[in-house]
Amino acid sequence: MAGAGPNHREPFLSEDFNKSKPKLYITSEEEEEDFDQLTIEAWKTEGFDVEYFSMGNEKEYRTHLRALANQEMPACDTFGIVAYGEASSVCLDHFHIIDNNPSFKLCCLIAYYPTSIPDPRTRHPGGVHVLVHLAEGDEIIGIVKQTQMVAIQGKRRTVRRQIPHGMGTGGYVKYSYPTYSYPGVSSGFAENDLEEYDKISADLAWTRSLATARRAWRRDVNLERVHEENVQGKFFTQNLQKTMSTYTAKPTPYVTHVPTLTGGIGADELHDFYGHYFLHHNPGSLQLTLLSRTIGTDRVVDELHVAFKHTTEMPWILPGVPPTKKKVEILMVSIVTVRGGKLAHEYIYWDQASVLLQIGLLNPDLVPEKAKRRGVKRLPVVGREAAHRRLEGNEEGDDGEATNELIPDWYEDSDDDEEEIEDDEEEDGENEERTARWVKRLRRKITKRAK
Protein backbone atom coordinates (compact mmCIF):
# COMPACT_ATOMS: atom_id res chain seq x y z
CA MET A 1 0.00 0.00 0.00
CA ALA A 2 1.28 3.49 -0.86
CA GLY A 3 2.37 5.50 2.13
CA ALA A 4 1.90 2.57 4.50
CA GLY A 5 3.37 3.04 7.92
CA PRO A 6 2.87 2.37 11.62
CA ASN A 7 -0.64 2.41 12.96
CA HIS A 8 -1.85 6.01 13.34
CA ARG A 9 -2.69 5.40 17.00
CA GLU A 10 0.94 4.77 17.92
CA PRO A 11 2.16 7.58 20.24
CA PHE A 12 4.78 10.02 18.99
CA LEU A 13 6.92 12.33 21.12
CA SER A 14 5.64 10.50 24.20
CA GLU A 15 6.93 7.72 26.43
CA ASP A 16 7.77 5.78 23.24
CA PHE A 17 9.53 8.78 21.67
CA ASN A 18 12.54 6.82 20.36
CA LYS A 19 10.55 3.80 19.16
CA SER A 20 10.45 3.09 15.43
CA LYS A 21 11.84 6.42 14.24
CA PRO A 22 10.76 7.36 10.70
CA LYS A 23 13.66 7.41 8.22
CA LEU A 24 14.27 10.85 6.72
CA TYR A 25 16.94 11.76 4.18
CA ILE A 26 18.10 15.37 3.80
CA THR A 27 19.87 16.27 0.58
CA SER A 28 21.31 19.28 -1.23
CA GLU A 29 24.27 20.23 -3.43
CA GLU A 30 26.40 20.96 -0.35
CA GLU A 31 28.59 18.49 1.49
CA GLU A 32 27.22 17.46 4.89
CA GLU A 33 29.70 19.53 6.89
CA ASP A 34 28.69 22.64 4.91
CA PHE A 35 24.94 22.17 5.26
CA ASP A 36 22.86 23.87 7.97
CA GLN A 37 23.32 21.68 11.04
CA LEU A 38 20.43 23.36 12.90
CA THR A 39 18.00 22.03 10.31
CA ILE A 40 19.35 18.50 10.70
CA GLU A 41 19.11 18.75 14.49
CA ALA A 42 15.56 20.12 14.28
CA TRP A 43 14.34 17.02 12.43
CA LYS A 44 16.19 14.75 14.85
CA THR A 45 14.60 16.57 17.80
CA GLU A 46 11.18 15.84 16.34
CA GLY A 47 11.94 12.11 16.45
CA PHE A 48 13.19 11.35 12.93
CA ASP A 49 16.11 9.12 12.02
CA VAL A 50 18.00 11.59 9.82
CA GLU A 51 20.67 10.83 7.23
CA TYR A 52 22.27 13.39 4.93
CA PHE A 53 23.70 12.93 1.44
CA SER A 54 24.90 15.46 -1.12
CA MET A 55 23.93 15.66 -4.76
CA GLY A 56 27.23 15.64 -6.66
CA ASN A 57 27.01 14.38 -10.23
CA GLU A 58 23.37 14.28 -11.42
CA LYS A 59 23.67 10.88 -13.12
CA GLU A 60 25.16 9.28 -10.00
CA TYR A 61 22.63 11.15 -7.88
CA ARG A 62 19.69 9.61 -9.78
CA THR A 63 21.29 6.19 -9.37
CA HIS A 64 21.43 6.80 -5.63
CA LEU A 65 17.75 7.82 -5.59
CA ARG A 66 16.82 4.58 -7.38
CA ALA A 67 18.83 2.61 -4.81
CA LEU A 68 16.90 4.29 -1.97
CA ALA A 69 13.58 3.35 -3.56
CA ASN A 70 14.72 -0.27 -3.92
CA GLN A 71 16.43 -0.67 -0.55
CA GLU A 72 15.51 -3.51 1.81
CA MET A 73 13.32 -2.21 4.63
CA PRO A 74 11.17 -3.86 7.30
CA ALA A 75 7.62 -4.60 6.20
CA CYS A 76 5.46 -1.47 5.88
CA ASP A 77 8.40 0.84 6.63
CA THR A 78 8.80 3.90 4.41
CA PHE A 79 11.19 6.83 4.06
CA GLY A 80 11.00 10.52 3.27
CA ILE A 81 13.23 13.08 1.55
CA VAL A 82 13.73 16.77 2.31
CA ALA A 83 15.65 18.33 -0.58
CA TYR A 84 17.08 21.80 -1.20
CA GLY A 85 17.87 23.77 -4.35
CA GLU A 86 18.90 21.86 -7.46
CA ALA A 87 18.69 18.57 -5.54
CA SER A 88 14.99 19.25 -4.92
CA SER A 89 14.46 19.82 -8.67
CA VAL A 90 15.99 16.44 -9.48
CA CYS A 91 14.02 14.66 -6.73
CA LEU A 92 10.71 16.15 -7.87
CA ASP A 93 11.43 15.14 -11.46
CA HIS A 94 12.79 11.69 -10.60
CA PHE A 95 9.92 10.59 -8.39
CA HIS A 96 7.35 12.06 -10.75
CA ILE A 97 7.95 8.91 -12.78
CA ILE A 98 5.97 6.02 -11.30
CA ASP A 99 8.66 3.44 -12.19
CA ASN A 100 11.14 5.22 -9.88
CA ASN A 101 9.14 4.37 -6.76
CA PRO A 102 8.09 0.82 -7.60
CA SER A 103 7.41 -0.42 -4.07
CA PHE A 104 5.96 2.88 -2.83
CA LYS A 105 8.63 3.11 -0.16
CA LEU A 106 8.99 6.86 -0.62
CA CYS A 107 6.07 8.36 1.31
CA CYS A 108 7.15 11.98 1.68
CA LEU A 109 9.00 14.45 -0.55
CA ILE A 110 9.55 18.04 0.61
CA ALA A 111 11.27 20.41 -1.83
CA TYR A 112 12.77 23.77 -0.91
CA TYR A 113 13.25 26.39 -3.69
CA PRO A 114 13.66 24.08 -6.68
CA THR A 115 14.75 25.66 -9.97
CA SER A 116 12.26 23.51 -11.87
CA ILE A 117 9.09 21.62 -10.99
CA PRO A 118 6.90 19.01 -12.73
CA ASP A 119 3.79 20.12 -14.57
CA PRO A 120 1.62 21.76 -11.85
CA ARG A 121 -1.49 20.13 -13.34
CA THR A 122 -0.21 16.64 -12.53
CA ARG A 123 0.34 14.69 -9.32
CA HIS A 124 3.16 12.51 -8.09
CA PRO A 125 2.13 8.86 -8.40
CA GLY A 126 2.25 6.28 -5.65
CA GLY A 127 0.55 8.29 -2.91
CA VAL A 128 3.67 10.35 -2.13
CA HIS A 129 3.01 13.33 0.16
CA VAL A 130 4.64 16.17 -1.78
CA LEU A 131 5.26 19.73 -0.58
CA VAL A 132 7.03 22.49 -2.52
CA HIS A 133 8.37 25.78 -1.12
CA LEU A 134 9.08 28.46 -3.75
CA ALA A 135 11.20 31.57 -3.17
CA GLU A 136 9.31 34.31 -4.96
CA GLY A 137 12.48 36.42 -5.12
CA ASP A 138 13.94 33.90 -7.61
CA GLU A 139 11.35 35.24 -10.11
CA ILE A 140 11.59 32.50 -12.77
CA ILE A 141 11.09 28.75 -12.53
CA GLY A 142 11.15 25.94 -15.06
CA ILE A 143 7.99 23.90 -15.69
CA VAL A 144 8.82 20.39 -16.92
CA LYS A 145 6.13 18.83 -19.07
CA GLN A 146 6.37 15.14 -19.87
CA THR A 147 3.82 12.53 -20.91
CA GLN A 148 4.19 9.20 -19.15
CA MET A 149 2.60 5.79 -18.94
CA VAL A 150 3.68 2.77 -16.95
CA ALA A 151 7.16 1.73 -18.16
CA ILE A 152 7.05 4.44 -20.87
CA GLN A 153 8.51 7.91 -20.50
CA GLY A 154 7.44 10.37 -23.16
CA LYS A 155 9.09 13.48 -24.50
CA ARG A 156 10.14 16.22 -22.11
CA ARG A 157 10.09 19.95 -22.59
CA THR A 158 10.77 22.74 -20.14
CA VAL A 159 9.13 26.17 -20.24
CA ARG A 160 10.09 29.16 -18.12
CA ARG A 161 7.41 30.75 -15.98
CA GLN A 162 7.17 33.54 -13.43
CA ILE A 163 7.03 32.19 -9.90
CA PRO A 164 3.37 32.64 -8.89
CA HIS A 165 2.31 34.97 -6.11
CA GLY A 166 0.56 32.90 -3.45
CA MET A 167 -3.06 33.41 -2.45
CA GLY A 168 -4.05 35.50 0.56
CA THR A 169 -1.45 36.01 3.28
CA GLY A 170 -0.50 32.33 3.42
CA GLY A 171 1.12 32.14 0.00
CA TYR A 172 -0.84 29.07 -1.14
CA VAL A 173 -0.44 28.30 -4.87
CA LYS A 174 -3.23 26.51 -6.73
CA TYR A 175 -1.24 23.57 -8.06
CA SER A 176 -2.19 19.88 -8.06
CA TYR A 177 0.49 19.23 -5.43
CA PRO A 178 0.74 21.44 -2.30
CA THR A 179 2.90 24.47 -3.09
CA TYR A 180 3.61 27.71 -1.21
CA SER A 181 5.28 30.88 -2.45
CA TYR A 182 7.18 33.13 -0.05
CA PRO A 183 7.38 36.81 -1.09
CA GLY A 184 10.50 38.91 -0.77
CA VAL A 185 12.91 36.00 -0.18
CA SER A 186 15.41 34.08 -2.30
CA SER A 187 16.72 30.53 -2.39
CA GLY A 188 18.33 29.71 0.94
CA PHE A 189 15.69 31.46 3.06
CA ALA A 190 15.14 28.31 5.16
CA GLU A 191 18.81 27.64 6.02
CA ASN A 192 20.06 29.30 9.21
CA ASP A 193 23.68 29.58 8.09
CA LEU A 194 23.04 31.50 4.86
CA GLU A 195 22.74 35.25 4.25
CA GLU A 196 19.39 34.66 2.54
CA TYR A 197 17.90 33.22 5.74
CA ASP A 198 14.53 34.77 6.60
CA LYS A 199 13.16 33.76 9.99
CA ILE A 200 9.48 34.39 9.31
CA SER A 201 9.41 32.52 6.00
CA ALA A 202 11.61 29.75 7.42
CA ASP A 203 9.29 29.24 10.40
CA LEU A 204 6.20 29.08 8.17
CA ALA A 205 7.91 26.59 5.86
CA TRP A 206 9.08 24.48 8.81
CA THR A 207 5.56 24.17 10.23
CA ARG A 208 4.20 23.11 6.84
CA SER A 209 7.04 20.64 6.28
CA LEU A 210 6.61 19.08 9.71
CA ALA A 211 2.86 18.74 9.14
CA THR A 212 3.46 17.02 5.79
CA ALA A 213 5.95 14.57 7.32
CA ARG A 214 3.62 13.68 10.17
CA ARG A 215 0.72 13.08 7.78
CA ALA A 216 2.91 10.86 5.64
CA TRP A 217 3.76 8.64 8.60
CA ARG A 218 0.35 9.03 10.25
CA ARG A 219 1.89 10.30 13.45
CA ASP A 220 -0.09 12.15 16.09
CA VAL A 221 1.56 14.54 18.54
CA ASN A 222 0.08 15.63 21.86
CA LEU A 223 1.05 19.30 22.16
CA GLU A 224 -1.50 20.07 24.88
CA ARG A 225 0.16 18.04 27.62
CA VAL A 226 3.43 19.98 27.89
CA HIS A 227 1.57 23.28 27.42
CA GLU A 228 -0.79 22.47 30.30
CA GLU A 229 2.17 21.48 32.50
CA ASN A 230 3.74 24.86 31.77
CA VAL A 231 0.56 26.78 32.65
CA GLN A 232 0.13 24.70 35.81
CA GLY A 233 3.67 25.46 36.97
CA LYS A 234 3.48 29.19 36.18
CA PHE A 235 0.07 30.11 37.51
CA PHE A 236 -1.13 27.47 39.94
CA THR A 237 1.60 25.44 41.71
CA GLN A 238 4.14 28.28 41.18
CA ASN A 239 6.87 25.66 40.95
CA LEU A 240 9.98 27.08 39.29
CA GLN A 241 11.66 23.75 38.52
CA LYS A 242 8.48 22.24 37.08
CA THR A 243 7.97 25.33 34.95
CA MET A 244 11.53 25.32 33.61
CA SER A 245 11.37 21.59 32.86
CA THR A 246 8.74 22.29 30.19
CA TYR A 247 11.16 24.36 28.06
CA THR A 248 13.45 22.95 25.40
CA ALA A 249 17.22 23.36 25.54
CA LYS A 250 17.60 23.74 21.76
CA PRO A 251 16.64 25.95 20.08
CA THR A 252 17.11 28.72 22.64
CA PRO A 253 13.74 29.13 24.40
CA TYR A 254 12.19 32.53 24.91
CA VAL A 255 9.01 34.11 26.28
CA THR A 256 7.75 37.57 25.33
CA HIS A 257 4.80 39.43 26.83
CA VAL A 258 4.36 41.67 23.81
CA PRO A 259 2.55 44.74 25.29
CA THR A 260 5.25 45.23 27.97
CA LEU A 261 8.19 43.40 26.35
CA THR A 262 8.79 41.44 29.54
CA GLY A 263 9.98 37.83 29.63
CA GLY A 264 13.30 36.20 28.92
CA ILE A 265 15.64 34.70 26.32
CA GLY A 266 17.44 31.47 27.17
CA ALA A 267 17.13 29.14 30.14
CA ASP A 268 19.10 31.31 32.58
CA GLU A 269 17.13 34.48 31.84
CA LEU A 270 13.81 32.64 31.98
CA HIS A 271 14.82 31.09 35.30
CA ASP A 272 15.58 34.56 36.67
CA PHE A 273 12.39 36.09 35.23
CA TYR A 274 10.03 33.45 36.58
CA GLY A 275 11.86 33.14 39.90
CA HIS A 276 12.05 36.86 40.71
CA TYR A 277 9.37 38.63 38.65
CA PHE A 278 6.52 36.22 37.91
CA LEU A 279 5.75 33.17 40.05
CA HIS A 280 5.20 34.98 43.33
CA HIS A 281 3.95 38.24 41.83
CA ASN A 282 0.43 37.18 40.92
CA PRO A 283 -2.44 37.96 43.32
CA GLY A 284 -4.46 35.13 44.82
CA SER A 285 -7.50 36.51 43.03
CA LEU A 286 -6.03 35.72 39.60
CA GLN A 287 -8.42 33.61 37.50
CA LEU A 288 -7.81 32.15 34.06
CA THR A 289 -10.68 30.93 31.89
CA LEU A 290 -9.89 29.17 28.63
CA LEU A 291 -12.31 30.42 25.94
CA SER A 292 -10.86 28.63 22.93
CA ARG A 293 -7.84 26.59 21.92
CA THR A 294 -6.41 26.01 18.46
CA ILE A 295 -3.81 23.27 18.02
CA GLY A 296 -1.58 23.22 14.95
CA THR A 297 1.40 21.17 13.87
CA ASP A 298 3.82 22.77 16.31
CA ARG A 299 1.77 25.52 17.96
CA VAL A 300 -0.96 25.92 20.56
CA VAL A 301 -2.99 29.14 20.50
CA ASP A 302 -5.11 29.92 23.57
CA GLU A 303 -7.75 32.62 23.96
CA LEU A 304 -8.14 33.38 27.67
CA HIS A 305 -10.30 35.48 29.95
CA VAL A 306 -8.03 36.83 32.70
CA ALA A 307 -9.38 38.47 35.87
CA PHE A 308 -7.56 39.72 38.97
CA LYS A 309 -7.53 42.39 41.66
CA HIS A 310 -4.34 44.42 41.52
CA THR A 311 -3.27 43.83 45.13
CA THR A 312 0.41 43.07 44.50
CA GLU A 313 3.11 44.23 42.13
CA MET A 314 2.93 42.39 38.79
CA PRO A 315 6.16 43.13 36.87
CA TRP A 316 5.12 41.09 33.82
CA ILE A 317 1.89 43.00 33.10
CA LEU A 318 2.24 46.26 35.08
CA PRO A 319 5.98 46.79 35.56
CA GLY A 320 6.80 49.64 37.93
CA VAL A 321 3.18 50.15 39.02
CA PRO A 322 2.41 49.77 42.76
CA PRO A 323 -0.81 47.90 43.72
CA THR A 324 -3.93 49.97 42.92
CA LYS A 325 -6.52 47.63 44.50
CA LYS A 326 -8.45 47.87 41.21
CA LYS A 327 -10.18 44.94 39.51
CA VAL A 328 -9.03 44.07 36.01
CA GLU A 329 -10.61 41.84 33.35
CA ILE A 330 -9.00 41.37 29.96
CA LEU A 331 -8.80 38.96 27.06
CA MET A 332 -5.39 37.40 26.45
CA VAL A 333 -3.97 35.39 23.55
CA SER A 334 -1.04 33.01 24.03
CA ILE A 335 0.86 31.54 21.07
CA VAL A 336 3.17 28.69 22.08
CA THR A 337 5.62 26.94 19.75
CA VAL A 338 6.62 23.36 20.59
CA ARG A 339 9.85 21.68 19.46
CA GLY A 340 10.51 18.03 20.20
CA GLY A 341 7.82 17.85 22.85
CA LYS A 342 9.03 20.95 24.77
CA LEU A 343 8.11 24.63 24.71
CA ALA A 344 10.44 26.68 22.52
CA HIS A 345 8.79 30.07 22.12
CA GLU A 346 5.79 31.87 23.59
CA TYR A 347 4.21 35.20 22.66
CA ILE A 348 1.44 36.61 24.87
CA TYR A 349 -0.81 39.46 23.74
CA TRP A 350 -3.45 41.58 25.50
CA ASP A 351 -4.94 45.09 25.33
CA GLN A 352 -2.66 47.15 27.58
CA ALA A 353 -4.78 50.29 27.09
CA SER A 354 -7.72 48.44 28.63
CA VAL A 355 -5.56 47.42 31.62
CA LEU A 356 -4.38 51.00 32.20
CA LEU A 357 -7.94 52.26 31.87
CA GLN A 358 -9.21 49.82 34.52
CA ILE A 359 -6.52 50.63 37.10
CA GLY A 360 -6.97 54.40 36.66
CA LEU A 361 -3.76 55.26 34.81
CA LEU A 362 -5.59 56.19 31.61
CA ASN A 363 -8.54 58.59 31.32
CA PRO A 364 -10.34 58.23 27.96
CA ASP A 365 -11.65 61.80 28.23
CA LEU A 366 -8.17 63.35 28.41
CA VAL A 367 -7.57 63.90 24.70
CA PRO A 368 -4.43 65.80 23.58
CA GLU A 369 -5.17 69.32 22.29
CA LYS A 370 -3.83 68.52 18.83
CA ALA A 371 -6.22 65.56 18.61
CA LYS A 372 -9.13 67.69 19.88
CA ARG A 373 -8.57 70.16 17.05
CA ARG A 374 -8.98 67.26 14.65
CA GLY A 375 -12.33 66.36 16.16
CA VAL A 376 -11.30 63.59 18.56
CA LYS A 377 -13.60 63.74 21.60
CA ARG A 378 -12.63 60.51 23.39
CA LEU A 379 -9.80 57.97 23.29
CA PRO A 380 -11.05 54.88 21.44
CA VAL A 381 -10.44 52.38 24.25
CA VAL A 382 -12.74 50.24 26.39
CA GLY A 383 -12.39 48.68 29.83
CA ARG A 384 -13.62 45.41 31.24
CA GLU A 385 -16.78 45.50 29.08
CA ALA A 386 -14.76 44.00 26.22
CA ALA A 387 -13.87 40.94 28.32
CA HIS A 388 -17.43 40.84 29.68
CA ARG A 389 -18.88 40.89 26.19
CA ARG A 390 -16.78 37.91 25.10
CA LEU A 391 -17.49 35.98 28.30
CA GLU A 392 -21.21 36.71 28.19
CA GLY A 393 -21.24 35.63 24.57
CA ASN A 394 -20.12 32.17 25.70
CA GLU A 395 -22.81 32.02 28.37
CA GLU A 396 -25.77 33.58 26.54
CA GLY A 397 -25.05 32.38 23.01
CA ASP A 398 -24.78 35.81 21.38
CA ASP A 399 -21.12 35.25 20.42
CA GLY A 400 -19.94 38.51 21.99
CA GLU A 401 -21.53 40.80 19.41
CA ALA A 402 -20.02 44.23 18.76
CA THR A 403 -21.83 47.35 20.01
CA ASN A 404 -20.10 50.01 17.87
CA GLU A 405 -20.61 52.53 20.68
CA LEU A 406 -17.29 54.22 19.91
CA ILE A 407 -18.29 54.98 16.32
CA PRO A 408 -19.72 58.56 16.56
CA ASP A 409 -22.33 58.33 13.79
CA TRP A 410 -23.48 54.76 14.40
CA TYR A 411 -26.85 55.62 15.98
CA GLU A 412 -27.71 58.89 14.20
CA ASP A 413 -29.89 57.48 11.41
CA SER A 414 -31.55 54.69 13.38
CA ASP A 415 -35.12 56.12 13.03
CA ASP A 416 -34.83 56.52 9.26
CA ASP A 417 -33.33 53.06 8.90
CA GLU A 418 -36.21 51.52 10.85
CA GLU A 419 -38.81 53.23 8.61
CA GLU A 420 -37.03 51.98 5.50
CA ILE A 421 -36.99 48.45 6.86
CA GLU A 422 -40.70 48.60 7.66
CA ASP A 423 -41.40 49.69 4.07
CA ASP A 424 -39.31 46.81 2.81
CA GLU A 425 -41.34 44.38 4.91
CA GLU A 426 -44.54 45.52 3.19
CA GLU A 427 -43.09 45.53 -0.31
CA ASP A 428 -41.00 42.37 -0.26
CA GLY A 429 -42.31 39.31 1.54
CA GLU A 430 -39.44 37.17 0.31
CA ASN A 431 -36.94 38.99 2.56
CA GLU A 432 -38.80 38.51 5.84
CA GLU A 433 -36.03 36.63 7.60
CA ARG A 434 -33.32 39.13 6.59
CA THR A 435 -35.53 42.08 7.50
CA ALA A 436 -36.29 40.64 10.93
CA ARG A 437 -32.61 40.55 11.70
CA TRP A 438 -32.22 44.19 10.70
CA VAL A 439 -35.19 45.24 12.83
CA LYS A 440 -33.74 43.48 15.86
CA ARG A 441 -30.39 45.17 15.39
CA LEU A 442 -31.81 48.63 14.86
CA ARG A 443 -34.12 48.39 17.86
CA ARG A 444 -31.10 47.51 19.94
CA LYS A 445 -29.40 50.65 18.59
CA ILE A 446 -32.38 52.81 19.52
CA THR A 447 -32.54 51.36 23.02
CA LYS A 448 -28.87 52.04 23.64
CA ARG A 449 -29.23 55.56 22.23
CA ALA A 450 -32.12 56.28 24.59
CA LYS A 451 -30.03 55.19 27.55
Side-chain angles (χ1 to χ4, degrees):
M1 176 185 289
N7 188 284
H8 72 280
R9 296 182 184 276
E10 182 178 342
F12 192 46
L13 295 180
S14 63
E15 290 79 12
D16 298 321
F17 178 74
N18 291 318
K19 182 180 179 181
S20 185
K21 291 184 177 181
K23 185 67 178 182
L24 187 69
Y25 295 97
I26 296 180
T27 179
S28 77
E29 295 175 88
E30 297 179 285
E31 295 298 326
E32 182 173 2
E33 59 269 19
D34 297 324
F35 186 76
D36 178 24
Q37 296 301 307
L38 291 178
T39 294
I40 295 176
E41 288 302 317
W43 284 107
K44 289 181 178 179
T45 299
E46 293 297 336
F48 292 87
D49 178 12
V50 180
E51 184 176 329
Y52 182 91
F53 64 94
S54 60
M55 179 177 170
N57 177 275
E58 182 176 337
K59 183 177 180 180
E60 294 177 355
Y61 187 64
R62 288 181 181 270
T63 299
H64 185 63
L65 294 179
R66 279 191 287 272
L68 289 179
N70 290 290
Q71 65 181 305
E72 291 292 330
M73 301 182 72
C76 296
D77 272 15
T78 54
F79 70 92
I81 294 177
V82 181
Y84 293 79
E86 189 60 33
S88 69
S89 303
V90 176
C91 287
L92 286 171
D93 178 70
H94 182 82
F95 289 108
H96 195 248
I97 306 300
I98 191 169
D99 292 348
N100 291 335
N101 189 27
S103 301
F104 307 125
K105 290 177 181 177
L106 174 69
C107 69
C108 174
L109 175 56
I110 299 169
Y112 280 86
Y113 25 86
T115 57
S116 63
I117 58 175
D119 189 338
R121 297 170 299 178
T122 63
R123 297 180 182 276
H124 282 71
V128 181
H129 289 73
V130 175
L131 175 64
V132 177
H133 301 293
L134 299 178
E136 196 174 307
D138 293 344
E139 296 184 353
I140 302 296
I141 194 168
I143 304 294
V144 180
K145 298 186 177 182
Q146 178 179 18
T147 57
Q148 62 166 299
M149 299 174 63
V150 176
I152 300 177
Q153 298 180 26
K155 294 182 178 180
R156 296 161 50 94
R157 65 186 181 93
T158 301
V159 296
R160 310 298 291 177
R161 291 286 185 267
Q162 187 80 26
I163 290 181
H165 182 72
M167 298 171 58
T169 58
Y172 179 73
V173 180
K174 296 180 69 175
Y175 284 173
S176 293
Y177 43 85
T179 304
Y180 292 90
S181 178
Y182 300 83
V185 299
S186 301
S187 294
F189 73 82
E191 296 170 65
N192 296 266
D193 58 345
L194 299 181
E195 292 183 0
E196 294 81 4
Y197 175 70
D198 182 84
K199 186 178 188 307
I200 293 177
S201 298
D203 284 350
L204 283 172
W206 166 259
T207 298
R208 290 161 174 165
S209 296
L210 186 58
T212 298
R214 286 179 181 163
R215 281 195 298 270
W217 275 283
R218 303 173 187 174
R219 301 280 178 151
D220 294 326
V221 179
N222 184 0
L223 302 183
E224 280 193 280
R225 184 181 64 182
V226 67
H227 176 48
E228 286 292 355
E229 289 174 354
N230 179 266
V231 173
Q232 182 74 11
K234 287 193 300 189
F235 289 102
F236 300 106
T237 63
Q238 298 182 341
N239 187 311
L240 181 58
Q241 295 308 121
K242 289 281 188 180
T243 300
M244 292 306 302
S245 69
T246 62
Y247 289 99
T248 183
K250 292 183 180 180
T252 301
Y254 60 82
V255 173
T256 304
H257 300 95
V258 176
T260 55
L261 292 181
T262 57
I265 302 174
D268 291 342
E269 205 168 285
L270 283 175
H271 188 279
D272 185 52
F273 172 73
Y274 283 124
H276 295 95
Y277 302 100
F278 191 97
L279 294 186
H280 303 291
H281 288 270
N282 287 318
S285 60
L286 180 68
Q287 291 183 333
L288 303 179
T289 303
L290 182 63
L291 302 179
S292 68
R293 173 168 289 173
T294 304
I295 302 175
T297 302
D298 58 350
R299 284 174 174 80
V300 179
V301 179
D302 280 353
E303 179 192 12
L304 301 159
H305 175 273
V306 180
F308 60 88
K309 187 174 182 180
H310 187 215
T311 56
T312 185
E313 289 190 27
M314 302 175 69
W316 64 280
I317 190 171
L318 287 166
V321 180
T324 62
K325 311 299 182 183
K326 300 288 187 179
K327 292 182 178 180
V328 176
E329 290 186 54
I330 53 172
L331 298 175
M332 191 173 287
V333 174
S334 165
I335 303 174
V336 172
T337 301
V338 180
R339 295 281 188 266
K342 297 283 188 178
L343 271 64
H345 316 136
E346 183 175 13
Y347 291 99
I348 303 95
Y349 300 82
W350 66 83
D351 183 356
Q352 186 70 352
S354 181
V355 175
L356 299 178
L357 183 67
Q358 293 178 61
I359 66 170
L361 287 187
L362 182 64
N363 186 339
D365 296 323
L366 295 180
V367 180
E369 287 299 326
K370 186 179 290 187
K372 284 183 178 179
R373 290 195 293 270
R374 294 178 178 176
V376 179
K377 298 178 180 179
R378 183 189 188 281
L379 298 179
V381 297
V382 296
R384 70 184 62 178
E385 54 266 36
H388 276 174
R389 194 67 179 163
R390 177 67 176 93
L391 200 60
E392 290 170 359
N394 273 7
E395 295 171 353
E396 299 176 6
D398 65 1
D399 296 326
E401 294 175 357
T403 62
N404 290 329
E405 290 179 350
L406 294 180
I407 300 178
D409 302 331
W410 185 255
Y411 299 112
E412 287 188 0
D413 300 323
S414 296
D415 294 333
D416 295 337
D417 290 344
E418 189 172 48
E419 290 177 4
E420 291 177 8
I421 289 177
E422 289 174 352
D423 292 339
D424 289 342
E425 281 184 301
E426 296 176 0
E427 295 174 2
D428 191 358
E430 295 180 359
N431 293 328
E432 288 184 0
E433 184 177 348
R434 180 172 61 87
T435 303
R437 290 198 301 268
W438 273 96
V439 170
K440 181 180 177 181
R441 194 177 96 179
L442 292 173
R443 283 175 178 165
R444 185 164 60 243
K445 290 182 186 179
I446 294 170
T447 302
K448 288 185 175 292
R449 185 182 179 189
K451 291 181 179 179

